Amino acid sequence: MSTPHIIPSPALPTADGSEVGSGDRPDDRGGVRASRRRIVGVDVARGLALVGMFGAHLLVASGPGFTLSDPSTWLDIVNGRSSILFALLAGVSLALMTGGARNATPDELRTIRLRLVGRGAAIFVIGLVVELLGSGIAVILSLYGVLYILAAFTVHLRTRVLLIAGGALAILGPPLLALIGVLSPDQSGPGLSLVLFGTYPITVWAALLCAGLVIGRLDLTRVKTAVAMLVCGGVVAIGGYALGALLALAQPDAGMSNSSVNSSVSSSSSPFSKSPGEDVDLSGLTCEKGDGIVVCFTPEKASLFGATGGGDEGQSYVERVASQDPAARMLEAITSVSAHSGGVLEVLASGGFAVAVLGLCLILTRYARWVVLPLAAYGAVPLTGYVVQAILIVAGAATWLSNPVLPWIALSLLMMAGALIWTRTLGKGPLERLTARAADAMALTTKSTSKSARKSASTSITEPTAEPTAESAAEEAR
């Protein structure tokens, strides 16, 4: 499978501070000239993901789930789907950054991996700092950093291998994770919360990373590619959500999966509706209260929440496992489509939705590029934009007006305008510069050595950044 011819561009940064051009284009004389333009559609899609996550964090939609026939639920589209789009685009950006990894020499591949580990470590630390702000949101950056480190060992793989790995993770991962949760009813620990049982289980996000790496290897400058993504992604999304809705009707009393419950408690983008306490029947349930949150559950699920009561006393391990109905939990892990549930159908449906959005953005930027330029600028500085969002939430942005939708729209427009001014005058965002420096430090590369390496051979493996290094290829002309 051929990849787009990526040319270094000094214009705007991608997801983590690197820069990507949009390929060679024919000049007026019939030859080929190196275009300085970016694949703006990728930036636009990333900007949409940022806007959507900001809306989810501000709780602009806290009612029932998205229903096409009910306009009052349409804002729920930001919940879950925005972060999945963000993760898919991480893989796309990595593919564009490291397009030459599959043809790299061992030394060049080692440099690519070191740079990705350096970026991942920097993003991970930024995520920890954002968590320290106490914004109350489920911060995605920590896992995002882990994905970069994971990508260091996957970017060189063949497309077929990535497809198989991504498919296996998406289809087998959620039910396997549910089974692990049942077999280990008292699981706890920061590592488990980070990669398995938190808001962002690795089975979902690694699958999206693989999908993004495959998509990034396509020729994203072609209209046919964008249309195919829009159509195929839309079909998968509609089919997945429709199937999930039908299966939900068939089993209305199915319990929530562990990952769904954990994400509902820890994420501000909760899929549950808000109801007055007097309208909720709590008979037969065990409830725990803490940090302003009340969690109620049936006695047999008490171990999932660390409850001391709840009927576990005197039960053997086998009885405790059996009481959680492993088969039902695994089945729900397959059929669930609710936001942050981590179910197979959610991965497929929301993943298809993300692919369709990217295809639509690629088409829009081809014919109406200037209209979406502020959104593209916002998507070009995602780390900085994400942290600014967290700071605004800490400052109480959700409470500035009676309706959180109004500050969401106003602040998003202001951030887009600020991003446009910054990128047109200063280039990379401050945090994007930080991750680029971390990559240089990890790989022991400098601006001067990178430039001399690029001058020595025009076909060398280079990273498409303002200071080109040995991470990505200027692919051969197709």
Side-chain angles (χ1 to χ4, degrees):
M1 181 178 298
S2 62
T3 58
H5 188 175
I6 304 302
I7 299 297
S9 167
L12 301 175
T14 60
D16 64 341
S18 63
E19 297 168 357
V20 178
S22 61
D24 285 351
R25 301 177 64 83
D27 63 12
D28 296 334
R29 298 182 300 274
V32 175
R33 63 179 177 85
S35 172
R36 311 294 285 188
R37 296 197 307 164
R38 296 167 51 83
I39 303 182
V40 184
V42 176
D43 287 331
V44 172
R46 196 181 297 111
L48 282 175
L50 283 171
V51 171
M53 286 192 292
F54 192 33
H57 295 155
L58 291 175
L59 294 176
V60 297
S62 56
F66 177 86
T67 303
L68 188 61
S69 59
D70 185 1
S72 66
T73 67
W74 287 359
L75 282 179
D76 184 71
I77 200 170
V78 303
N79 290 331
R81 300 168 188 84
S82 301
S83 54
I84 281 184
L85 174 59
F86 197 64
L88 179 80
L89 293 170
V92 175
S93 296
L94 283 168
L96 296 176
M97 287 168 51
T98 60
R102 289 171 293 161
N103 302 318
T105 66
D107 287 341
E108 291 165 343
L109 185 58
R110 188 178 301 112
T111 300
I112 292 172
R113 287 172 169 169
L114 287 174
R115 293 185 62 80
L116 288 176
V117 170
R119 290 184 188 277
I123 295 171
F124 183 86
V125 172
I126 293 171
L128 295 182
V129 173
V130 175
E131 290 179 1
L132 288 173
L133 294 177
S135 62
I137 67 176
V139 179
I140 195 175
L141 295 184
S142 300
L143 186 73
Y144 204 68
V146 173
L147 290 178
Y148 263 69
I149 296 173
L150 178 64
F153 305 96
T154 58
V155 291
H156 70 290
L157 296 178
R158 294 182 178 180
T159 302
R160 180 183 302 175
V161 176
L162 288 173
L163 285 172
I164 294 174
L169 284 168
I171 297 174
L172 302 179
L176 179 60
L177 194 60
L179 178 61
I180 293 174
V182 169
L183 296 178
S184 181
D186 297 316
Q187 27 68 353
S188 64
L192 291 175
S193 297
L194 175 64
V195 299
L196 291 182
F197 299 111
T199 307
Y200 307 112
I202 196 69
T203 53
V204 174
W205 307 96
L208 294 167
L209 175 72
C210 291
L213 286 171
V214 171
I215 291 173
R217 292 178 179 181
L218 303 175
D219 188 350
L220 300 181
T221 64
R222 298 183 61 187
V223 176
K224 289 183 179 180
T225 302
V227 172
M229 291 170 60
L230 175 61
V231 174
C232 295
V235 169
V236 172
I238 294 173
Y241 287 125
L243 181 58
L246 291 175
L247 293 175
L249 291 175
Q251 44 179 342
D253 297 327
M256 295 176 295
S257 68
N258 189 22
S259 61
S260 175
V261 172
N262 287 344
S263 64
S264 302
V265 174
S266 61
S267 173
S268 59
S269 54
S270 171
F272 302 114
S273 59
K274 296 179 180 178
S275 301
E278 59 270 16
D279 293 344
V280 181
D281 182 12
L282 302 179
S283 58
L285 300 179
T286 299
C287 297
E288 289 188 350
K289 183 175 74 172
D291 297 329
I293 298 176
V294 177
V295 179
C296 298
F297 42 86
T298 55
E300 64 270 15
K301 295 183 180 294
S303 63
L304 298 178
F305 301 89
T308 55
D312 282 340
E313 297 178 0
Q315 284 187 327
S316 67
Y317 169 77
V318 174
E319 290 173 333
R320 292 173 64 192
V321 170
S323 68
Q324 296 180 49
D325 198 348
R329 293 280 298 281
M330 293 179 67
L331 177 62
E332 186 184 2
I334 296 174
T335 60
S336 178
V337 292
S338 60
H340 293 297
S341 66
V344 172
L345 287 183
E346 188 211 2
V347 178
L348 296 179
S350 296
F353 175 80
V355 172
V357 169
L358 177 56
L360 178 61
C361 290
L362 292 171
I363 295 172
L364 286 176
T365 52
R366 189 175 184 91
Y367 300 105
R369 181 179 179 183
W370 293 104
V371 176
V372 293
L373 199 55
L375 195 59
Y378 190 34
V381 288
L383 292 180
T384 302
Y386 189 94
V387 173
V388 170
Q389 289 183 10
I391 293 173
L392 289 172
I393 292 171
V394 171
T399 62
W400 290 353
L401 297 173
S402 58
N403 188 342
V405 175
L406 298 178
W408 174 45
I409 295 174
L411 291 173
S412 295
L413 291 175
L414 285 175
M415 285 188 284
M416 282 188 276
L420 182 60
I421 294 172
W422 181 284
T423 54
R424 291 301 167 186
T425 56
L426 300 175
K428 292 181 183 178
L431 294 182
E432 286 72 21
R433 291 179 185 274
L434 176 62
T435 58
R437 290 182 180 275
D440 287 337
M442 189 69 185
L444 298 178
T445 58
T446 63
K447 180 177 179 179
S448 58
T449 57
S450 300
K451 283 187 175 181
S452 37
R454 186 166 179 258
K455 289 179 180 178
S456 63
S458 60
T459 58
S460 63
I461 304 298
T462 60
E463 179 186 10
T465 64
E467 300 88 19
T469 64
E471 180 172 326
S472 178
E475 297 278 328
E476 65 275 6
R478 295 189 315 120

